[in-house]
Amino acid sequence: MIARGPIFQLCWVVDDLAAAREAFTARYGVGEWFTIPDVRFGPQAAQLHGAPADYTISVALGYAGGQQLELIEPRGGASLYAEQLERSGPGLHHVAWVPDDYDAALAEAVTAGIEIVARGRFEGVGMEFAYLDGGPIGSHVELMRLSPEMKAMFDHLIPEGFTNPWQ
């Protein structure tokens, strides 16, 4: 089994981050968003289909109860997110797990013949990620390695009365 336990995150790729945040807030009660504009992933930190990638995205993180929601707006360059917008427009992009052993989970995916379609590191903050081809489920599956500092940041964002999967 590549990953188990609660899904940490659901992510939508959108073409207008502000409008998507407003819709989630008005329609589904997501009250607070942590927004990170214009995050660049350069070729030293990102890969797309096995080749170095260079792209920029804007990100918003919120919680619906204990479920983390992520909105990603591609801002430039070739990325898995831009591919989705070009192929099918805005929509659910991935579900994410934080496995206890990130390296073992990736190795198990490779052994099972699952393609790692993109991967990267968020430089300086202690986060690494890999997107697995979703195969028959369509959407991608993201595996994440989070430093204790990143987990603490996410723990600070989650609403009172809820916990992240690692707690």
Side-chain angles (χ1 to χ4, degrees):
M1 184 171 309
I2 295 167
R4 69 177 75 208
I7 292 171
F8 169 57
Q9 178 188 83
L10 299 173
C11 175
W12 284 260
V13 170
V14 300
D15 54 13
D16 183 334
L17 192 64
R21 278 192 325 245
E22 289 172 19
F24 266 102
T25 298
R27 296 176 185 168
Y28 307 110
V30 179
E32 295 186 30
W33 292 95
F34 176 66
T35 302
I36 311 165
D38 297 325
V39 180
R40 180 173 177 255
F41 289 92
Q44 72 286 355
Q47 292 181 357
L48 178 62
H49 304 297
D54 191 353
Y55 60 90
T56 302
I57 59 174
S58 289
V59 178
L61 300 168
Y63 279 86
Q67 180 64 67
Q68 187 182 90
L69 306 179
E70 180 179 42
L71 306 173
I72 295 177
E73 178 186 342
R75 304 287 292 156
S79 69
L80 205 57
Y81 320 110
E83 285 181 0
Q84 176 172 324
L85 280 183
E86 292 167 9
R87 181 180 58 251
S88 58
L92 185 66
H93 182 262
H94 68 261
V95 298
W97 274 274
V98 181
D100 291 334
D101 187 335
Y102 176 82
D103 294 319
L106 281 181
E108 191 166 338
V110 169
T111 299
I114 299 170
E115 180 186 3
I116 299 172
V117 292
R119 58 189 319 166
R121 295 182 314 279
F122 200 153
E123 298 287 356
V125 299
M127 184 176 75
E128 189 172 348
F129 56 90
Y131 290 103
L132 308 179
D133 180 72
I137 62 174
S139 298
H140 300 291
V141 172
E142 180 184 25
L143 301 177
M144 302 173 76
R145 180 190 339 245
L146 301 175
S147 68
E149 294 79 13
M150 282 300 297
K151 288 180 178 179
M153 185 201 74
F154 290 136
D155 291 342
H156 178 72
L157 295 175
I158 196 166
E160 188 175 334
F162 297 95
T163 59
N164 283 305
W166 51 81
Q167 293 178 302

